[in-house]
Amino acid sequence: MPPPGDEPRNAPAQFIDELTRQLDVTRRLLTSSPDDVAERALAALPPDVALEARIASSLAAPPLADPAAFPAAHRLTVRALELLDREGARGIPVPRRYWLARPLAGLLLTFIAGYITRSYARAIAERLAHLYARREAQCPPGTPARAELARARVEMSRLLPGFSGGGSAVPALVAGGAAVPLVASLGQYLGAIDLGSRPAVGALFGVLFVLFVVLSSLLLTAARHAHRRAVIIMGQPLRALWDAVGDAGEPPEDDARLFAAVAILLSSLVWVVIPAAGAALYLAG
C-alpha cells in the first residue's frame, strides 16, 4: 500500500495540473523575455536518446565514408542510369489475355513503364546532384575528397537535364489530339440515345467495367516490370554508392508502388463500386 500522499492522481487532477502548467507558461511568456521562456520550455521536454545518438553520429561522420571507393561507385551509378533510361521500358512482354488488342496494349505498357523508369532516373539524378553539392561544401578545401565530389557534382549537373523525361508528353499529346474527333463523333451519336433507359445504363456500366479492368491490369503489369528492371539495374550501383558516401539516408525509390496502389483502387471500383452503382441505377430505371 503506497504511503499517504503518494496515491496515483486521477485523470481530472492530471488534466487540471497540465492546464495550470500551460497557463503558467503563458503568463511567463507574456511578462518576460519570449526567448528565455521558449528555451526553458524546450529544456523541460523529455530527451529522445535514440534521436540524439543518431544526430551525434551523423555530425561526427566524414563527408565521404570511403573516398577510395567513391569514384568507381559514382561511375557505375551513372552507367546504370544510362542503362535504366534505355532498357527500363524496352520490350515489355504483353500478356495473351489482350488478344487482338495486344499491339495497343504493348504501346500503353511501354508508355507507363517508361514514365515510371524515367521519373525514377530523374529522382536519382536530382538526389545525387544535391547530395554531392552538400558533401563538397563539407570537405576541407584542397582535399582529394573535395576534388572528387566537385567533379561528380559538375557531371551530375550536366547530366540532369537529360533525365527530364519531357519526351513522355509527346505520345500523350498525339493520342489526345487523335481522340478529339472520336469523342466528338461519339457525343453526337449518344445525343440520340436515351441515357436514362435501362439498356443504356447497362451498356454504360458495362463499358466502364471493361475499361477499368483493362486499365487496372495495364497499370499493375507495367509497374511490376518497371520496378523489377529498376531494382536489377540500379540496386547494386546505388548500394555501392551509398556505402561510399555514407550516412545519406535511404536511396530514392521508384513510383511503382504508387501505380500498383492505383491499380488496386481501380480493381476495387471494378468489382465493388461499379457493379453496385450499375445495379442500383438499372433497378431504379
Side-chain angles (χ1 to χ4, degrees), residues 71-139:
H74 166 70
R75 291 192 295 270
L76 179 62
T77 301
V78 173
R79 174 61 176 167
L81 281 172
E82 178 191 351
L83 190 62
L84 178 66
D85 186 63
R86 186 174 69 246
E87 300 290 344
R90 177 181 293 182
I92 299 293
V94 182
R96 294 183 177 180
R97 61 177 175 270
Y98 293 111
W99 295 345
L100 297 179
R102 291 185 68 188
L104 177 59
L107 291 176
L108 294 175
L109 287 173
T110 301
F111 177 79
I112 299 170
Y115 178 85
I116 295 174
T117 54
R118 281 192 296 271
S119 299
Y120 185 41
R122 173 74 179 184
I124 294 173
E126 288 180 344
R127 177 76 174 274
L128 293 183
H130 296 158
L131 180 62
Y132 291 165
R134 293 170 180 175
R135 294 301 175 92
E136 177 190 355
Q138 299 171 31
C139 291

Short mmCIF file of all heavy atoms in Angstrom, two decimals, residues 71-139:
data_model
loop_
_atom_site.label_atom_id
_atom_site.label_comp_id
_atom_site.label_asym_id
_atom_site.label_seq_id
_atom_site.Cartn_x
_atom_site.Cartn_y
_atom_site.Cartn_z
N PRO A 71 34.82 7.21 -56.43
CA PRO A 71 34.84 7.45 -57.89
C PRO A 71 34.27 6.29 -58.70
O PRO A 71 33.47 6.50 -59.62
CB PRO A 71 36.33 7.69 -58.19
CG PRO A 71 36.91 8.15 -56.90
CD PRO A 71 36.16 7.40 -55.84
N ALA A 72 34.68 5.07 -58.38
CA ALA A 72 34.18 3.92 -59.13
C ALA A 72 32.68 3.73 -58.90
O ALA A 72 31.94 3.40 -59.84
CB ALA A 72 34.94 2.66 -58.72
N ALA A 73 32.21 3.94 -57.67
CA ALA A 73 30.78 3.79 -57.39
C ALA A 73 29.97 4.86 -58.13
O ALA A 73 28.87 4.58 -58.63
CB ALA A 73 30.53 3.89 -55.88
N HIS A 74 30.51 6.06 -58.21
CA HIS A 74 29.82 7.12 -58.94
C HIS A 74 29.73 6.79 -60.43
O HIS A 74 28.66 6.93 -61.04
CB HIS A 74 30.56 8.44 -58.74
CG HIS A 74 30.16 9.52 -59.70
ND1 HIS A 74 28.93 10.14 -59.66
CD2 HIS A 74 30.84 10.08 -60.74
CE1 HIS A 74 28.86 11.03 -60.63
NE2 HIS A 74 30.00 11.02 -61.30
N ARG A 75 30.81 6.33 -61.01
CA ARG A 75 30.80 6.00 -62.44
C ARG A 75 29.85 4.84 -62.73
O ARG A 75 29.15 4.83 -63.75
CB ARG A 75 32.22 5.67 -62.91
CG ARG A 75 33.15 6.88 -62.94
CD ARG A 75 34.44 6.54 -63.70
NE ARG A 75 35.22 5.51 -63.01
CZ ARG A 75 36.15 5.76 -62.10
NH1 ARG A 75 36.41 7.03 -61.74
NH2 ARG A 75 36.82 4.78 -61.54
N LEU A 76 29.82 3.85 -61.84
CA LEU A 76 28.91 2.73 -62.03
C LEU A 76 27.46 3.18 -61.96
O LEU A 76 26.62 2.71 -62.74
CB LEU A 76 29.19 1.66 -60.98
CG LEU A 76 28.30 0.41 -61.02
CD1 LEU A 76 28.48 -0.33 -62.35
CD2 LEU A 76 28.62 -0.52 -59.85
N THR A 77 27.15 4.10 -61.07
CA THR A 77 25.78 4.60 -60.95
C THR A 77 25.37 5.38 -62.19
O THR A 77 24.23 5.25 -62.67
CB THR A 77 25.65 5.48 -59.70
OG1 THR A 77 26.00 4.72 -58.54
CG2 THR A 77 24.22 6.00 -59.54
N VAL A 78 26.28 6.19 -62.72
CA VAL A 78 25.97 6.93 -63.95
C VAL A 78 25.74 5.97 -65.11
O VAL A 78 24.84 6.15 -65.93
CB VAL A 78 27.10 7.92 -64.26
CG1 VAL A 78 26.88 8.57 -65.63
CG2 VAL A 78 27.18 9.00 -63.19
N ARG A 79 26.55 4.92 -65.18
CA ARG A 79 26.36 3.91 -66.22
C ARG A 79 25.01 3.22 -66.05
O ARG A 79 24.28 2.97 -67.03
CB ARG A 79 27.48 2.87 -66.13
CG ARG A 79 27.33 1.68 -67.06
CD ARG A 79 27.31 2.09 -68.51
NE ARG A 79 27.26 0.94 -69.39
CZ ARG A 79 26.99 1.02 -70.69
NH1 ARG A 79 26.74 2.18 -71.25
NH2 ARG A 79 26.96 -0.08 -71.44
N ALA A 80 24.62 2.93 -64.81
CA ALA A 80 23.33 2.29 -64.56
C ALA A 80 22.18 3.22 -64.93
O ALA A 80 21.14 2.76 -65.43
CB ALA A 80 23.24 1.88 -63.10
N LEU A 81 22.34 4.52 -64.70
CA LEU A 81 21.30 5.47 -65.09
C LEU A 81 21.08 5.47 -66.60
O LEU A 81 19.94 5.53 -67.09
CB LEU A 81 21.66 6.88 -64.61
CG LEU A 81 21.42 7.19 -63.14
CD1 LEU A 81 22.00 8.54 -62.78
CD2 LEU A 81 19.93 7.14 -62.81
N GLU A 82 22.18 5.41 -67.35
CA GLU A 82 22.04 5.34 -68.80
C GLU A 82 21.31 4.06 -69.22
O GLU A 82 20.43 4.07 -70.09
CB GLU A 82 23.41 5.38 -69.47
CG GLU A 82 23.35 5.26 -70.98
CD GLU A 82 24.71 5.05 -71.61
OE1 GLU A 82 25.73 5.15 -70.90
OE2 GLU A 82 24.76 4.75 -72.82
N LEU A 83 21.66 2.96 -68.57
CA LEU A 83 21.02 1.68 -68.89
C LEU A 83 19.55 1.69 -68.51
O LEU A 83 18.70 1.16 -69.24
CB LEU A 83 21.76 0.56 -68.17
CG LEU A 83 21.40 -0.88 -68.57
CD1 LEU A 83 21.72 -1.12 -70.04
CD2 LEU A 83 22.15 -1.88 -67.69
N LEU A 84 19.22 2.29 -67.38
CA LEU A 84 17.82 2.37 -66.95
C LEU A 84 17.01 3.20 -67.94
O LEU A 84 15.88 2.85 -68.27
CB LEU A 84 17.74 2.98 -65.55
CG LEU A 84 16.34 3.18 -64.98
CD1 LEU A 84 15.66 1.85 -64.73
CD2 LEU A 84 16.39 4.00 -63.69
N ASP A 85 17.58 4.30 -68.42
CA ASP A 85 16.88 5.14 -69.36
C ASP A 85 16.65 4.43 -70.69
O ASP A 85 15.63 4.65 -71.36
CB ASP A 85 17.69 6.43 -69.58
CG ASP A 85 16.94 7.44 -70.44
OD1 ASP A 85 15.87 7.89 -70.02
OD2 ASP A 85 17.44 7.76 -71.54
N ARG A 86 17.58 3.55 -71.07
CA ARG A 86 17.47 2.88 -72.36
C ARG A 86 16.67 1.58 -72.29
O ARG A 86 15.91 1.26 -73.20
CB ARG A 86 18.87 2.59 -72.90
CG ARG A 86 18.87 2.02 -74.31
CD ARG A 86 20.26 1.87 -74.88
NE ARG A 86 21.03 0.84 -74.21
CZ ARG A 86 22.12 1.06 -73.46
NH1 ARG A 86 22.55 2.30 -73.28
NH2 ARG A 86 22.76 0.06 -72.90
N GLU A 87 16.83 0.82 -71.22
CA GLU A 87 16.25 -0.51 -71.14
C GLU A 87 15.08 -0.62 -70.17
O GLU A 87 14.46 -1.67 -70.09
CB GLU A 87 17.33 -1.52 -70.71
CG GLU A 87 18.51 -1.61 -71.65
CD GLU A 87 18.15 -2.27 -72.98
OE1 GLU A 87 17.08 -2.91 -73.05
OE2 GLU A 87 18.93 -2.14 -73.94
N GLY A 88 14.78 0.45 -69.45
CA GLY A 88 13.75 0.35 -68.42
C GLY A 88 12.38 -0.02 -68.94
O GLY A 88 11.61 -0.68 -68.24
N ALA A 89 12.06 0.40 -70.16
CA ALA A 89 10.72 0.13 -70.70
C ALA A 89 10.77 -0.58 -72.05
O ALA A 89 9.74 -0.67 -72.73
CB ALA A 89 9.96 1.44 -70.85
N ARG A 90 11.91 -1.10 -72.41
CA ARG A 90 12.03 -1.74 -73.72
C ARG A 90 11.55 -3.19 -73.65
O ARG A 90 11.92 -3.94 -72.75
CB ARG A 90 13.48 -1.71 -74.21
CG ARG A 90 13.70 -2.43 -75.53
CD ARG A 90 15.15 -2.40 -75.95
NE ARG A 90 15.59 -1.04 -76.30
CZ ARG A 90 16.82 -0.76 -76.74
NH1 ARG A 90 17.72 -1.74 -76.87
NH2 ARG A 90 17.14 0.47 -77.05
N GLY A 91 10.73 -3.58 -74.65
CA GLY A 91 10.34 -4.98 -74.78
C GLY A 91 9.52 -5.51 -73.62
O GLY A 91 9.70 -6.66 -73.21
N ILE A 92 8.60 -4.70 -73.09
CA ILE A 92 7.71 -5.20 -72.02
C ILE A 92 6.83 -6.31 -72.61
O ILE A 92 6.13 -6.09 -73.61
CB ILE A 92 6.84 -4.07 -71.46
CG1 ILE A 92 7.69 -2.97 -70.86
CG2 ILE A 92 5.86 -4.62 -70.43
CD1 ILE A 92 8.45 -3.36 -69.63
N PRO A 93 6.86 -7.52 -72.05
CA PRO A 93 6.02 -8.60 -72.59
C PRO A 93 4.54 -8.30 -72.41
O PRO A 93 4.11 -7.87 -71.35
CB PRO A 93 6.45 -9.83 -71.79
CG PRO A 93 7.06 -9.29 -70.54
CD PRO A 93 7.66 -7.97 -70.89
N VAL A 94 3.77 -8.55 -73.46
CA VAL A 94 2.33 -8.28 -73.43
C VAL A 94 1.59 -9.59 -73.17
O VAL A 94 1.76 -10.56 -73.92
CB VAL A 94 1.86 -7.67 -74.76
CG1 VAL A 94 0.37 -7.34 -74.70
CG2 VAL A 94 2.68 -6.43 -75.08
N PRO A 95 0.80 -9.68 -72.11
CA PRO A 95 0.06 -10.92 -71.84
C PRO A 95 -0.90 -11.27 -72.98
O PRO A 95 -1.43 -10.40 -73.68
CB PRO A 95 -0.71 -10.58 -70.55
CG PRO A 95 0.05 -9.47 -69.92
CD PRO A 95 0.62 -8.67 -71.06
N ARG A 96 -1.16 -12.56 -73.15
CA ARG A 96 -2.03 -13.03 -74.23
C ARG A 96 -3.49 -12.68 -74.00
O ARG A 96 -4.29 -12.74 -74.92
CB ARG A 96 -1.88 -14.54 -74.39
CG ARG A 96 -0.50 -14.98 -74.86
CD ARG A 96 -0.46 -16.48 -75.04
NE ARG A 96 0.84 -16.93 -75.55
CZ ARG A 96 1.14 -18.19 -75.81
NH1 ARG A 96 0.24 -19.14 -75.60
NH2 ARG A 96 2.33 -18.51 -76.26
N ARG A 97 -3.84 -12.32 -72.77
CA ARG A 97 -5.25 -12.06 -72.49
C ARG A 97 -5.78 -10.83 -73.22
O ARG A 97 -6.99 -10.60 -73.27
CB ARG A 97 -5.46 -11.88 -70.98
CG ARG A 97 -4.69 -10.73 -70.36
CD ARG A 97 -5.02 -10.58 -68.88
NE ARG A 97 -4.23 -9.56 -68.23
CZ ARG A 97 -3.06 -9.77 -67.64
NH1 ARG A 97 -2.54 -11.00 -67.63
NH2 ARG A 97 -2.40 -8.80 -67.05
N TYR A 98 -4.88 -10.01 -73.78
CA TYR A 98 -5.34 -8.83 -74.51
C TYR A 98 -5.76 -9.17 -75.94
O TYR A 98 -6.24 -8.30 -76.66
CB TYR A 98 -4.25 -7.75 -74.51
CG TYR A 98 -3.97 -7.19 -73.13
CD1 TYR A 98 -2.78 -7.45 -72.48
CD2 TYR A 98 -4.92 -6.41 -72.49
CE1 TYR A 98 -2.52 -6.96 -71.22
CE2 TYR A 98 -4.67 -5.90 -71.22
CZ TYR A 98 -3.47 -6.18 -70.59
OH TYR A 98 -3.23 -5.69 -69.35
N TRP A 99 -5.49 -10.37 -76.42
CA TRP A 99 -5.96 -10.86 -77.71
C TRP A 99 -5.60 -9.90 -78.83
O TRP A 99 -4.45 -9.56 -79.04
CB TRP A 99 -7.47 -11.11 -77.67
CG TRP A 99 -7.85 -12.19 -76.72
CD1 TRP A 99 -7.03 -13.12 -76.16
CD2 TRP A 99 -9.16 -12.47 -76.21
NE1 TRP A 99 -7.73 -13.96 -75.34
CE2 TRP A 99 -9.05 -13.58 -75.35
CE3 TRP A 99 -10.40 -11.88 -76.39
CZ2 TRP A 99 -10.14 -14.12 -74.69
CZ3 TRP A 99 -11.50 -12.41 -75.73
CH2 TRP A 99 -11.36 -13.52 -74.88
N LEU A 100 -6.62 -9.46 -79.59
CA LEU A 100 -6.38 -8.62 -80.76
C LEU A 100 -5.87 -7.23 -80.39
O LEU A 100 -5.32 -6.52 -81.24
CB LEU A 100 -7.67 -8.49 -81.59
CG LEU A 100 -8.21 -9.80 -82.18
CD1 LEU A 100 -9.50 -9.52 -82.94
CD2 LEU A 100 -7.18 -10.45 -83.09
N ALA A 101 -6.04 -6.84 -79.14
CA ALA A 101 -5.59 -5.51 -78.71
C ALA A 101 -4.15 -5.54 -78.19
O ALA A 101 -3.72 -4.57 -77.57
CB ALA A 101 -6.52 -4.96 -77.63
N ARG A 102 -3.41 -6.61 -78.43
CA ARG A 102 -2.05 -6.70 -77.91
C ARG A 102 -1.13 -5.61 -78.43
O ARG A 102 -0.31 -5.09 -77.67
CB ARG A 102 -1.47 -8.09 -78.22
CG ARG A 102 -2.13 -9.22 -77.43
CD ARG A 102 -1.45 -10.54 -77.69
NE ARG A 102 -0.12 -10.57 -77.15
CZ ARG A 102 0.76 -11.54 -77.34
NH1 ARG A 102 0.43 -12.56 -78.12
NH2 ARG A 102 1.95 -11.50 -76.80
N PRO A 103 -1.20 -5.20 -79.71
CA PRO A 103 -0.33 -4.09 -80.14
C PRO A 103 -0.60 -2.80 -79.37
O PRO A 103 0.35 -2.12 -78.93
CB PRO A 103 -0.67 -3.94 -81.63
CG PRO A 103 -1.15 -5.29 -82.05
CD PRO A 103 -1.90 -5.81 -80.86
N LEU A 104 -1.88 -2.45 -79.19
CA LEU A 104 -2.20 -1.24 -78.42
C LEU A 104 -1.80 -1.41 -76.96
O LEU A 104 -1.26 -0.47 -76.34
CB LEU A 104 -3.70 -0.95 -78.52
CG LEU A 104 -4.20 0.26 -77.71
CD1 LEU A 104 -3.49 1.53 -78.15
CD2 LEU A 104 -5.72 0.39 -77.86
N ALA A 105 -2.04 -2.59 -76.39
CA ALA A 105 -1.64 -2.84 -75.01
C ALA A 105 -0.13 -2.73 -74.85
O ALA A 105 0.36 -2.21 -73.84
CB ALA A 105 -2.13 -4.22 -74.56
N GLY A 106 0.63 -3.20 -75.85
CA GLY A 106 2.08 -3.09 -75.78
C GLY A 106 2.53 -1.64 -75.76
O GLY A 106 3.45 -1.27 -75.01
N LEU A 107 1.89 -0.79 -76.56
CA LEU A 107 2.24 0.63 -76.55
C LEU A 107 1.94 1.27 -75.20
O LEU A 107 2.74 2.06 -74.67
CB LEU A 107 1.46 1.35 -77.66
CG LEU A 107 1.87 1.03 -79.11
CD1 LEU A 107 0.94 1.74 -80.08
CD2 LEU A 107 3.31 1.42 -79.36
N LEU A 108 0.79 0.93 -74.63
CA LEU A 108 0.42 1.51 -73.33
C LEU A 108 1.34 1.01 -72.22
O LEU A 108 1.74 1.78 -71.34
CB LEU A 108 -1.03 1.17 -73.01
CG LEU A 108 -2.07 1.82 -73.92
CD1 LEU A 108 -3.46 1.33 -73.59
CD2 LEU A 108 -2.01 3.34 -73.80
N LEU A 109 1.69 -0.27 -72.25
CA LEU A 109 2.61 -0.80 -71.24
C LEU A 109 3.97 -0.13 -71.33
O LEU A 109 4.58 0.23 -70.31
CB LEU A 109 2.75 -2.31 -71.42
CG LEU A 109 1.56 -3.17 -71.00
CD1 LEU A 109 1.80 -4.63 -71.39
CD2 LEU A 109 1.32 -3.07 -69.50
N THR A 110 4.47 0.05 -72.54
CA THR A 110 5.75 0.73 -72.72
C THR A 110 5.69 2.17 -72.24
O THR A 110 6.62 2.67 -71.61
CB THR A 110 6.15 0.68 -74.21
OG1 THR A 110 6.25 -0.68 -74.63
CG2 THR A 110 7.49 1.37 -74.43
N PHE A 111 4.57 2.84 -72.53
CA PHE A 111 4.41 4.23 -72.10
C PHE A 111 4.41 4.34 -70.57
O PHE A 111 5.10 5.19 -69.99
CB PHE A 111 3.13 4.80 -72.68
CG PHE A 111 2.84 6.22 -72.24
CD1 PHE A 111 3.48 7.28 -72.84
CD2 PHE A 111 1.92 6.47 -71.24
CE1 PHE A 111 3.23 8.58 -72.44
CE2 PHE A 111 1.66 7.76 -70.83
CZ PHE A 111 2.31 8.83 -71.43
N ILE A 112 3.63 3.50 -69.90
CA ILE A 112 3.53 3.57 -68.44
C ILE A 112 4.86 3.19 -67.78
O ILE A 112 5.35 3.87 -66.88
CB ILE A 112 2.40 2.66 -67.93
CG1 ILE A 112 1.06 3.12 -68.50
CG2 ILE A 112 2.35 2.66 -66.41
CD1 ILE A 112 -0.08 2.15 -68.24
N ALA A 113 5.47 2.09 -68.25
CA ALA A 113 6.75 1.67 -67.68
C ALA A 113 7.83 2.71 -67.95
O ALA A 113 8.68 2.97 -67.09
CB ALA A 113 7.16 0.32 -68.26
N GLY A 114 7.79 3.33 -69.15
CA GLY A 114 8.76 4.37 -69.45
C GLY A 114 8.60 5.57 -68.55
O GLY A 114 9.59 6.17 -68.11
N TYR A 115 7.37 5.93 -68.24
CA TYR A 115 7.15 7.05 -67.32
C TYR A 115 7.71 6.74 -65.93
O TYR A 115 8.36 7.59 -65.31
CB TYR A 115 5.66 7.37 -67.22
CG TYR A 115 5.35 8.47 -66.25
CD1 TYR A 115 5.41 9.80 -66.65
CD2 TYR A 115 4.99 8.19 -64.93
CE1 TYR A 115 5.14 10.82 -65.76
CE2 TYR A 115 4.72 9.21 -64.04
CZ TYR A 115 4.79 10.52 -64.46
OH TYR A 115 4.53 11.53 -63.56
N ILE A 116 7.48 5.53 -65.45
CA ILE A 116 7.96 5.15 -64.12
C ILE A 116 9.49 5.16 -64.07
O ILE A 116 10.10 5.72 -63.15
CB ILE A 116 7.41 3.77 -63.72
CG1 ILE A 116 5.89 3.82 -63.58
CG2 ILE A 116 8.05 3.27 -62.44
CD1 ILE A 116 5.26 2.47 -63.33
N THR A 117 10.13 4.56 -65.07
CA THR A 117 11.60 4.46 -65.04
C THR A 117 12.25 5.82 -65.29
O THR A 117 13.28 6.13 -64.67
CB THR A 117 12.08 3.45 -66.08
OG1 THR A 117 11.53 3.78 -67.38
CG2 THR A 117 11.64 2.05 -65.71
N ARG A 118 11.67 6.64 -66.16
CA ARG A 118 12.25 7.97 -66.38
C ARG A 118 12.10 8.85 -65.15
O ARG A 118 13.00 9.63 -64.81
CB ARG A 118 11.60 8.62 -67.60
CG ARG A 118 12.15 8.12 -68.93
CD ARG A 118 11.69 9.00 -70.08
NE ARG A 118 10.25 8.95 -70.24
CZ ARG A 118 9.62 8.06 -71.02
NH1 ARG A 118 10.32 7.16 -71.68
NH2 ARG A 118 8.32 8.08 -71.13
N SER A 119 10.96 8.76 -64.48
CA SER A 119 10.79 9.52 -63.24
C SER A 119 11.78 9.07 -62.17
O SER A 119 12.32 9.89 -61.41
CB SER A 119 9.36 9.36 -62.72
OG SER A 119 8.43 9.86 -63.66
N TYR A 120 12.02 7.77 -62.12
CA TYR A 120 12.98 7.23 -61.16
C TYR A 120 14.40 7.71 -61.47
O TYR A 120 15.14 8.13 -60.56
CB TYR A 120 12.92 5.71 -61.20
CG TYR A 120 13.79 5.01 -60.18
CD1 TYR A 120 13.89 5.47 -58.88
CD2 TYR A 120 14.50 3.88 -60.53
CE1 TYR A 120 14.68 4.83 -57.94
CE2 TYR A 120 15.29 3.22 -59.60
CZ TYR A 120 15.37 3.70 -58.31
OH TYR A 120 16.16 3.05 -57.39
N ALA A 121 14.78 7.68 -62.75
CA ALA A 121 16.11 8.17 -63.13
C ALA A 121 16.25 9.65 -62.80
O ALA A 121 17.31 10.10 -62.33
CB ALA A 121 16.34 7.93 -64.62
N ARG A 122 15.21 10.42 -63.04
CA ARG A 122 15.24 11.85 -62.72
C ARG A 122 15.40 12.05 -61.21
O ARG A 122 16.18 12.91 -60.78
CB ARG A 122 13.94 12.50 -63.20
CG ARG A 122 13.75 13.95 -62.79
CD ARG A 122 14.64 14.87 -63.57
NE ARG A 122 14.43 16.26 -63.19
CZ ARG A 122 15.03 17.28 -63.77
NH1 ARG A 122 15.85 17.07 -64.78
NH2 ARG A 122 14.81 18.51 -63.38
N ALA A 123 14.68 11.29 -60.40
CA ALA A 123 14.79 11.42 -58.95
C ALA A 123 16.19 11.09 -58.47
O ALA A 123 16.73 11.77 -57.59
CB ALA A 123 13.75 10.52 -58.27
N ILE A 124 16.80 10.06 -59.03
CA ILE A 124 18.16 9.70 -58.64
C ILE A 124 19.14 10.80 -59.02
O ILE A 124 20.01 11.19 -58.22
CB ILE A 124 18.56 8.36 -59.28
CG1 ILE A 124 17.71 7.23 -58.73
CG2 ILE A 124 20.04 8.06 -59.05
CD1 ILE A 124 17.92 5.90 -59.42
N ALA A 125 19.04 11.30 -60.26
CA ALA A 125 19.96 12.33 -60.72
C ALA A 125 19.84 13.59 -59.87
O ALA A 125 20.86 14.20 -59.50
CB ALA A 125 19.70 12.64 -62.19
N GLU A 126 18.63 13.99 -59.53
CA GLU A 126 18.45 15.17 -58.69
C GLU A 126 19.00 14.95 -57.29
O GLU A 126 19.67 15.84 -56.73
CB GLU A 126 16.96 15.53 -58.62
CG GLU A 126 16.39 16.11 -59.90
CD GLU A 126 14.92 16.45 -59.76
OE1 GLU A 126 14.28 15.95 -58.78
OE2 GLU A 126 14.40 17.20 -60.61
N ARG A 127 18.74 13.77 -56.74
CA ARG A 127 19.24 13.47 -55.39
C ARG A 127 20.76 13.49 -55.36
O ARG A 127 21.37 14.04 -54.42
CB ARG A 127 18.70 12.11 -54.97
CG ARG A 127 19.18 11.61 -53.61
CD ARG A 127 18.47 12.32 -52.49
NE ARG A 127 18.85 11.73 -51.21
CZ ARG A 127 18.26 10.67 -50.66
NH1 ARG A 127 17.25 10.09 -51.29
NH2 ARG A 127 18.66 10.21 -49.49
N LEU A 128 21.41 12.92 -56.37
CA LEU A 128 22.86 12.88 -56.39
C LEU A 128 23.45 14.28 -56.57
O LEU A 128 24.46 14.62 -55.93
CB LEU A 128 23.35 11.96 -57.51
CG LEU A 128 23.04 10.47 -57.33
CD1 LEU A 128 23.63 9.67 -58.47
CD2 LEU A 128 23.56 9.96 -55.99
N ALA A 129 22.84 15.10 -57.44
CA ALA A 129 23.36 16.44 -57.63
C ALA A 129 23.31 17.24 -56.34
O ALA A 129 24.28 17.93 -55.98
CB ALA A 129 22.56 17.16 -58.73
N HIS A 130 22.21 17.15 -55.60
CA HIS A 130 22.10 17.86 -54.32
C HIS A 130 23.04 17.27 -53.28
O HIS A 130 23.68 18.02 -52.51
CB HIS A 130 20.66 17.81 -53.83
CG HIS A 130 19.70 18.51 -54.73
ND1 HIS A 130 18.35 18.24 -54.75
CD2 HIS A 130 19.88 19.47 -55.67
CE1 HIS A 130 17.75 18.99 -55.65
NE2 HIS A 130 18.66 19.75 -56.23
N LEU A 131 23.12 15.95 -53.23
CA LEU A 131 23.96 15.29 -52.23
C LEU A 131 25.43 15.63 -52.45
O LEU A 131 26.15 15.95 -51.49
CB LEU A 131 23.74 13.78 -52.29
CG LEU A 131 24.55 12.93 -51.30
CD1 LEU A 131 24.20 13.28 -49.87
CD2 LEU A 131 24.31 11.45 -51.57
N TYR A 132 25.88 15.57 -53.70
CA TYR A 132 27.29 15.88 -53.99
C TYR A 132 27.62 17.33 -53.63
O TYR A 132 28.70 17.61 -53.10
CB TYR A 132 27.58 15.63 -55.47
CG TYR A 132 27.56 14.19 -55.88
CD1 TYR A 132 27.50 13.83 -57.23
CD2 TYR A 132 27.56 13.16 -54.94
CE1 TYR A 132 27.46 12.51 -57.63
CE2 TYR A 132 27.53 11.83 -55.32
CZ TYR A 132 27.48 11.51 -56.67
OH TYR A 132 27.46 10.19 -57.05
N ALA A 133 26.71 18.26 -53.93
CA ALA A 133 26.97 19.66 -53.63
C ALA A 133 27.09 19.88 -52.12
O ALA A 133 27.96 20.62 -51.65
CB ALA A 133 25.85 20.53 -54.20
N ARG A 134 26.24 19.22 -51.34
CA ARG A 134 26.30 19.39 -49.89
C ARG A 134 27.56 18.76 -49.30
O ARG A 134 28.20 19.36 -48.42
CB ARG A 134 25.05 18.78 -49.26
CG ARG A 134 23.78 19.53 -49.63
CD ARG A 134 22.54 18.79 -49.20
NE ARG A 134 21.32 19.51 -49.56
CZ ARG A 134 20.09 19.04 -49.39
NH1 ARG A 134 19.93 17.83 -48.86
NH2 ARG A 134 19.05 19.76 -49.75
N ARG A 135 27.90 17.57 -49.78
CA ARG A 135 29.09 16.92 -49.24
C ARG A 135 30.37 17.65 -49.68
O ARG A 135 31.36 17.68 -48.96
CB ARG A 135 29.13 15.46 -49.68
CG ARG A 135 28.01 14.63 -49.09
CD ARG A 135 28.04 14.66 -47.57
NE ARG A 135 26.91 13.98 -46.97
CZ ARG A 135 26.90 12.69 -46.62
NH1 ARG A 135 27.99 11.95 -46.81
NH2 ARG A 135 25.84 12.16 -46.06
N GLU A 136 30.35 18.23 -50.87
CA GLU A 136 31.51 19.01 -51.31
C GLU A 136 31.76 20.19 -50.38
O GLU A 136 32.92 20.48 -50.02
CB GLU A 136 31.28 19.51 -52.74
CG GLU A 136 32.40 20.40 -53.27
CD GLU A 136 32.04 21.07 -54.57
OE1 GLU A 136 30.95 20.78 -55.13
OE2 GLU A 136 32.85 21.89 -55.05
N ALA A 137 30.68 20.86 -49.98
CA ALA A 137 30.83 22.00 -49.08
C ALA A 137 31.32 21.60 -47.70
O ALA A 137 31.89 22.43 -46.97
CB ALA A 137 29.50 22.74 -48.96
N GLN A 138 31.17 20.34 -47.33
CA GLN A 138 31.62 19.87 -46.02
C GLN A 138 33.08 19.47 -46.00
O GLN A 138 33.67 19.32 -44.91
CB GLN A 138 30.76 18.69 -45.58
CG GLN A 138 29.27 19.01 -45.44
CD GLN A 138 28.43 17.77 -45.21
OE1 GLN A 138 28.88 16.80 -44.62
NE2 GLN A 138 27.18 17.80 -45.69
N CYS A 139 33.68 19.28 -47.17
CA CYS A 139 35.07 18.84 -47.23
C CYS A 139 36.02 20.03 -47.10
O CYS A 139 35.75 21.11 -47.65
CB CYS A 139 35.35 18.13 -48.56
SG CYS A 139 34.54 16.54 -48.71
#
